[in-house]
Amino acid sequence: MNKQQIITALKAVREQKPLVLNITNYVVMNNSANGLLALGASPIMAHSQDELEELVPLVGAVVINIGTLDSHWIESMEAAVTLANRHGKPVVLDPVGCGVSSLRTHTSRRLAALAERLIIRGNASEIIALAGAAANSKGVDAMDGSEAAVSAGQQLVQQYGAHVVISGETDIIIGENREVRLNNGHAMMPFVTGMGCTLSALTGAFAAVGEMSGAAAAAVMGVAGEIAAARSPGPGSLQLNLLDTLYRLDAETLENHLSIEVTTA
């Protein structure tokens, strides 16, 4: 994955305008939907198991976010992943708060094991907990740095045949034979609810057009966040400016701002 491939992937999203199914949490539905629209994709937020058989065949990807988990949503999430497998759709799993409670941890692992075309996108503490190691978290916030989660991410790649995106000060994207490090974003971004959840939604849009590594979404989100933060005095304006920046983001801006390092095994 290089700059030109990321630029090409963004162009594909804007040309194809993929429909992305989100089973996500109440806190971030509006943020995630607006992020997808600003990027150029099309969101649908659906939680009822009764309509999934009709919806999943129509979408380009399924995004599962466990942020506000309960037993009814778990049933819908499992049904959506099963249908995604049946129809060959990629699944993005955001294991929000994995490691904080047994419900979140067990559900995350069950969904990861169920999905056949999987991208896992989480913060370092979530990735470490999903892999079965002891993580440091404060609610849904990471207390571990992204580098501390690399070995856990590599384990998840092998265990689930997944691509893994570790979000943090440096975003680290791990595939079977490659690691990508992205050094964009801004320290203000964690002060806005749902930035990671929005990234997971964008990851679904890129997966829908065939970009399964997760790197393009992380690159676009990082560059957009960095630019938006430069013109934002605080988190409130950052939310608005991020959407505007995603909408206006072009190849030249990505080329000039993206800080990327790729290593191969």
Side-chain angles (χ1 to χ4, degrees):
M1 178 60 62
N2 55 39
K3 287 185 180 181
Q4 186 55 53
Q5 289 171 316
I6 291 167
I7 290 168
T8 299
L10 176 59
K11 181 181 179 183
V13 168
R14 287 175 170 165
E15 289 177 346
Q16 298 180 31
K17 303 186 184 304
L19 181 62
V20 181
L21 172 63
N22 296 263
I23 302 181
T24 191
N25 69 73
Y26 291 124
V27 180
V28 304
M29 284 187 197
N30 187 60
N31 306 57
S32 299
N34 281 331
L36 284 166
L37 288 169
L39 183 71
S42 180
I44 182 167
M45 323 310 265
H47 298 85
S48 174
Q49 192 171 342
D50 296 334
E51 64 176 347
L52 291 176
E53 284 207 29
E54 296 173 83
L55 291 180
V56 173
L58 303 177
V59 304
V62 174
V63 178
I64 304 290
N65 178 308
I66 70 164
T68 50
L69 203 58
D70 68 23
S71 57
H72 296 293
W73 283 29
I74 291 171
E75 291 178 0
S76 291
M77 289 171 178
E78 291 178 343
V81 174
T82 298
L83 287 164
N85 292 343
R86 183 185 305 169
H87 295 283
K89 309 294 184 178
V91 172
V92 178
L93 173 63
D94 188 334
V96 179
C98 182
V100 174
S101 71
S102 57
L103 178 66
R104 290 172 184 265
T105 304
H106 294 157
T107 300
S108 298
R109 291 174 181 166
R110 192 158 65 248
L111 292 169
L114 183 61
E116 294 176 359
R117 300 182 62 204
L118 177 64
I119 303 171
I120 300 168
R121 203 296 312 166
N123 65 43
S125 298
E126 292 160 350
I127 296 301
I128 291 169
L130 185 58
N136 298 307
S137 60
K138 182 180 180 182
V140 299
D141 297 323
M143 303 297 287
D144 297 288
S146 49
E147 289 289 348
V150 170
S151 61
Q154 292 168 340
Q155 178 183 327
L156 295 176
V157 169
Q158 297 303 316
Q159 183 174 355
Y160 298 119
H163 295 271
V164 175
V165 179
I166 308 167
S167 297
E169 184 176 349
T170 297
D171 293 329
I172 303 175
I173 298 89
I174 303 175
E176 188 173 357
N177 299 305
R178 179 176 298 177
E179 292 180 9
V180 177
R181 282 169 170 76
L182 301 169
N183 293 292
N184 292 105
H186 192 273
M188 197 192 303
M189 293 175 73
F191 291 92
V192 178
T193 299
M195 281 287 181
C197 301
T198 299
L199 171 54
S200 294
L202 301 190
T203 302
F206 281 100
V209 299
E211 204 293 274
M212 284 292 294
S213 76
V220 164
M221 187 73 174
V223 169
E226 185 176 293
I227 294 170
R231 52 182 76 144
S232 303
S237 54
L238 176 58
Q239 294 185 77
L240 299 176
N241 287 329
L242 177 71
L243 293 176
D244 290 347
T245 306
L246 281 173
Y247 179 77
R248 294 170 57 87
L249 196 63
D250 58 21
E252 182 180 1
T253 304
L254 272 174
E255 178 71 36
N256 291 338
H257 285 82
L258 184 59
S259 175
I260 183 171
E261 175 189 350
V262 180
T263 58
T264 56

Coordinates of all heavy atoms in Angstrom, one line a residue, residues 8 58 66 159 229 261:
T8 N -6.0 6.2 -5.4 CA -6.8 5.4 -6.3 C -8.0 4.8 -5.6 O -9.2 4.8 -6.1 CB -6.0 4.3 -6.9 OG1 -4.9 4.8 -7.7 CG2 -6.9 3.4 -7.9
L58 N -27.5 -6.3 -0.7 CA -27.4 -5.0 -1.4 C -26.2 -4.1 -1.1 O -25.9 -3.2 -1.9 CB -28.7 -4.2 -1.1 CG -30.1 -4.8 -1.4 CD1 -31.2 -3.9 -0.9 CD2 -30.2 -5.2 -2.9
I66 N -19.5 -2.7 18.5 CA -20.2 -3.2 19.7 C -20.3 -2.2 20.8 O -20.5 -2.5 22.0 CB -19.5 -4.5 20.2 CG1 -18.1 -4.1 20.8 CG2 -19.4 -5.5 19.1 CD1 -17.5 -5.3 21.6
Q159 N -4.7 -15.8 13.5 CA -5.8 -16.5 14.1 C -7.1 -16.4 13.3 O -7.8 -17.4 13.1 CB -6.1 -16.0 15.5 CG -7.2 -16.7 16.3 CD -7.3 -16.2 17.7 OE1 -6.5 -15.4 18.2 NE2 -8.2 -16.7 18.4
A229 N -7.9 19.8 12.4 CA -7.5 20.3 13.7 C -6.7 21.6 13.6 O -6.8 22.4 14.5 CB -6.7 19.2 14.4
E261 N 4.8 4.8 6.1 CA 6.0 3.9 6.1 C 5.5 2.5 6.0 O 4.7 2.0 6.7 CB 6.8 4.0 7.4 CG 8.0 3.1 7.6 CD 8.6 3.1 8.9 OE1 8.2 4.0 9.7 OE2 9.4 2.3 9.2

